[in-house]
């Protein structure tokens, strides 16, 4: 470069010019609203229609809550206090909340027992749902919870749940000692030992009915939202392992096993749940010996579990079919037998794929527990339709009670849905 040209350059910047702030319309809330709510004429129209709809709903719901009455002895006094203000008669909830939660026959002085069982449920299920946050030894609490919950809710002598627990423990040890020789023989040994322990323990429990006993509560005396929770938790817990077995059985190479699983799944999926509940309530008694007392809740749990397990089996079968054939071949190349390959390689991947479908079945199952009101079991909906609305004190109060039922079911189902999404993110292995 010549000297004359170098002298003509007055200044050369050696630093980056600072960025200018973006326009006010391209940042913050305004930017988000332009991108998501008013990005075009059609989206703008939909946004305005949604705002109008929300305004109309709130204009009715807000006065309904704000002018609501929470203290009244009956619907007549409630209407006198409201005096046409358009509020809700929430006094029915304040007056009958115990029946809505526990039913109208459960002893009021024993409400602390199912309440404690419900609190312990969160403690017992946490190590299972959030395994990375808790030590493995806490799974012992999860295994003990069913027996503790039975003792608290149903009452009676403590020997009954202890004998049941002892039978499972003895059966497991018998299975563990024989499983290396033969899987079928180990399963048979475990079942035989468990049945022997339960039979002998039954005589012991009958001989000492008052040993550390709570007041016994019959299944017919249970109701309210407690009954929905019992059926939902128990049936979901039992239907998942049964559904896995049915899915594996349907893919079995043994014609007899495959045929039994196919017939079971297709028959259960082809029958409405309400029909199975009627079978549990009426028809099943005709196939039992005369004088046999088969608890109604147990019968309903069996039918709902069968119904849910058939659907879960198909969901899991879809997950198994989605796995590439190389996964099965890779398990064989490692020298793993069928049980090891399923437990270590195939099922973990298939269950991860099947999480949305399994959660969908679980949510639907929990909502379907309200169908037990058809067979005269007073769950939450049964309590609303039966004893509460049938009484002259609160006959005519609908929206307040049904709104409470919808809120309780929404909280549980939304919690299940959010956990499933969290679990999917935790198990995600691809980075996209």
């Amino acid at each position: 470069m010549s000297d004359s040209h170098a002298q003509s350059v007055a200044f050369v910047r050696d630093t980056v010019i600072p960025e200018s702030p973006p326009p006010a319309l391209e940042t913050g809330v305004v930017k988000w609203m332009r991108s998501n709510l008013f990005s075009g004429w059609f989206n703008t129209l939909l946004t305005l229609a949604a705002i109008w709809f929300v305004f109309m709903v709130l204009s009715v719901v807000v006065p309904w809550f704000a002018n609501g009455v929470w203290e009244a002895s009956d619907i007549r006094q409630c209407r006198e206090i409201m005096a046409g203000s358009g509020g809700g008669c929430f006094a029915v909830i304040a007056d009958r909340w115990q029946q809505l939660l526990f039913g109208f026959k459960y002893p009021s002085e024993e409400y602390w027992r199912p309440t404690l069982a419900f609190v312990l449920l969160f403690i017992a299920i946490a190590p299972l749902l959030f395994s990375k946050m808790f030590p493995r030894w806490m799974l012992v609490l999860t295994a003990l919870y069913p027996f503790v919950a039975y003792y608290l809710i149903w009452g009676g002598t403590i020997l009954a749940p202890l004998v049941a627990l002892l039978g499972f423990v003895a059966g497991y040890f018998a299975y563990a000692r024989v499983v290396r020789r033969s899987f079928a023989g180990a399963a048979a040994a475990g079942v035989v030992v468990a049945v022997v322990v339960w039979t002998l323990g039954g005589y012991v429990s009958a001989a000492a009915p008052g040993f550390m006993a709570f007041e016994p509560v019959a299944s017919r005396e249970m109701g309210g939202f407690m009954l929905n929770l019992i059926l939902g938790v128990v049936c979901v817990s039992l239907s998942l392992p049964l559904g896995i077995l049915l899915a594996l059985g349907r893919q079995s190479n043994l014609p007899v096993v495959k045929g039994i699983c196919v017939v079971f799944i297709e028959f259960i999926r082809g029958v409405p749940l309400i029909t199975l509940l009627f079978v549990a309530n009426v028809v099943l008694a005709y196939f039992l010996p005369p004088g046999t007392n088969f608890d109604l809740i147990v019968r309903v749990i069996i039918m709902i579990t069968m119904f849910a397990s058939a659907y879960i089996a198909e969901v899991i079968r879809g997950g198994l079919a989605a796995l590439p054939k190389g996964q099965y071949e890779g398990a064989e190349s490692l020298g793993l037998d069928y049980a090891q390959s399923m437990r270590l390689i195939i099922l973990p991947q298939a269950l991860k794929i099947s999480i949305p479908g399994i959660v969908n079945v679980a949510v639907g199952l929990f909502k379907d527990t309200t169908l037990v009101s058809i067979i005269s079991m007073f769950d939450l909906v049964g309590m609303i339709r039966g004893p509460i609305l049938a009484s002259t004190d609160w006959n005519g109060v609908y929206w307040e009670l049904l709104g409470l039922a919808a809120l309780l079911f929404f909280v549980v189902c939304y919690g299940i849905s959010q956990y499933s999404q969290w679990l999917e993110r935790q198990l995600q292995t691809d980075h996209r």
Side-chain angles (χ1 to χ4, degrees):
M1 182 181 298
S2 63
D3 294 340
S4 61
H5 181 71
Q7 293 176 357
S8 65
V9 179
F11 174 75
V12 177
R13 175 178 292 274
D14 56 359
T15 59
V16 179
I17 300 176
E19 295 182 357
S20 301
L25 297 180
E26 296 297 330
T27 183
V29 178
V30 177
K31 166 64 174 178
W32 181 88
M33 293 178 63
R34 290 188 60 187
S35 301
N36 297 277
L37 302 181
F38 305 100
S39 57
W41 70 268
F42 185 70
N43 287 343
T44 301
L45 183 63
L46 290 178
T47 300
L48 295 177
I51 293 174
W52 175 83
F53 176 77
V54 172
F55 173 78
M56 295 300 295
V57 171
L58 292 179
S59 65
V60 176
V61 174
V62 172
W64 188 58
F65 277 105
N67 301 325
V69 176
W70 290 90
E71 295 183 3
S73 59
D74 53 37
I75 187 174
R76 292 172 291 277
Q77 183 182 4
C78 192
R79 288 172 176 171
E80 292 177 359
I81 298 174
M82 286 188 297
S85 62
C89 187
F90 300 105
V92 61
I93 298 176
D95 183 56
R96 299 297 183 94
W97 68 270
Q98 294 178 334
Q99 295 181 4
L100 291 170
L101 294 181
F102 303 104
F104 66 98
K105 290 185 178 181
Y106 202 93
S108 58
E109 64 276 5
E110 304 293 334
Y111 284 160
W112 66 271
R113 286 162 44 185
T115 303
L116 178 59
F118 179 72
V119 173
L120 292 178
L121 173 63
F122 289 97
I123 299 176
I125 204 172
L128 186 64
L129 299 182
F130 308 99
S131 56
K132 296 181 180 179
M133 303 180 184
F134 297 90
R136 294 182 63 88
W137 65 265
M138 290 191 66
L139 291 174
V140 176
L141 302 178
T142 307
L144 294 176
Y145 175 76
F147 308 98
V148 176
Y150 175 85
Y151 177 55
L152 289 174
I153 297 175
W154 272 267
T157 176
I158 196 175
L159 294 177
L162 284 179
V163 168
L165 175 61
L166 183 61
F168 279 108
V169 173
Y172 171 76
F173 279 109
Y175 165 83
R177 290 184 63 88
V178 187
V179 68
R180 293 185 177 180
R181 305 174 188 174
S182 170
F183 176 78
V191 171
V192 170
V193 171
V195 170
V196 171
V197 172
W198 290 333
T199 303
L200 297 178
Y203 293 109
V204 176
S205 300
F211 180 75
M212 297 183 64
F214 287 136
E215 178 184 351
V217 180
S219 297
R220 280 291 185 183
E221 299 178 359
M222 298 180 186
F225 194 59
M226 174 185 66
L227 181 58
N228 296 110
L229 287 176
I230 292 174
L231 295 177
V233 172
V234 174
C235 294
V236 169
S237 302
L238 295 178
S239 60
L240 182 57
L242 183 58
I244 293 175
L245 293 177
L246 289 172
L248 296 178
R250 185 158 189 170
Q251 290 193 332
S252 174
N253 295 325
L254 301 176
V256 176
V257 174
K258 183 176 182 179
I260 293 175
C261 294
V262 169
V263 170
F264 177 87
I265 293 173
E266 297 302 330
F267 174 77
I268 295 297
R269 293 177 68 224
V271 178
L273 177 58
I274 189 63
T275 304
L276 297 177
L277 294 178
F278 275 117
V279 170
N281 186 39
V282 180
V283 181
L284 194 61
Y286 291 105
F287 297 94
L288 299 175
T292 302
N293 184 18
F294 197 2
D295 194 286
L296 178 60
I297 283 189
V298 176
R299 284 181 276 167
V300 170
I301 287 175
I302 291 174
M303 290 300 176
I304 297 180
T305 300
M306 292 169 54
F307 182 82
S309 63
Y311 283 87
I312 290 180
E314 287 300 282
V315 172
I316 295 176
R317 187 171 70 92
L320 292 172
L323 292 180
K325 189 177 179 181
Q327 297 294 325
Y328 296 87
E329 296 174 347
E332 295 178 357
S333 66
L334 293 174
L336 302 178
D337 57 20
Y338 178 81
Q340 292 174 332
S341 62
M342 285 296 168
R343 181 172 61 89
L344 300 175
I345 297 179
I346 306 301
L347 275 181
Q349 300 180 72
L351 291 176
K352 185 179 74 170
I353 297 174
S354 306
I355 286 176
I358 294 174
V359 172
N360 185 46
V361 174
V363 170
L365 171 63
F366 181 69
K367 293 186 293 184
D368 285 343
T369 58
T370 56
L371 292 175
V372 299
S373 61
I374 304 297
I375 58 174
S376 302
M377 295 183 71
F378 293 101
D379 69 317
L380 180 58
V381 176
M383 287 299 305
I384 294 174
R385 296 173 53 194
I388 296 180
L389 290 181
S391 66
T392 57
D393 291 339
W394 301 109
N395 188 9
V397 181
Y398 297 98
W399 289 105
E400 294 82 353
L401 294 171
L402 296 177
L404 175 64
L407 177 63
L408 291 176
F409 277 95
F410 171 78
V411 169
V412 176
C413 295
Y414 182 75
I416 296 174
S417 176
Q418 289 300 303
Y419 170 76
S420 69
Q421 296 180 28
W422 175 85
L423 183 61
E424 287 185 67
R425 292 192 296 269
Q426 294 297 311
L427 298 178
Q428 187 175 0
T429 54
D430 55 335
H431 300 283
R432 290 179 292 180

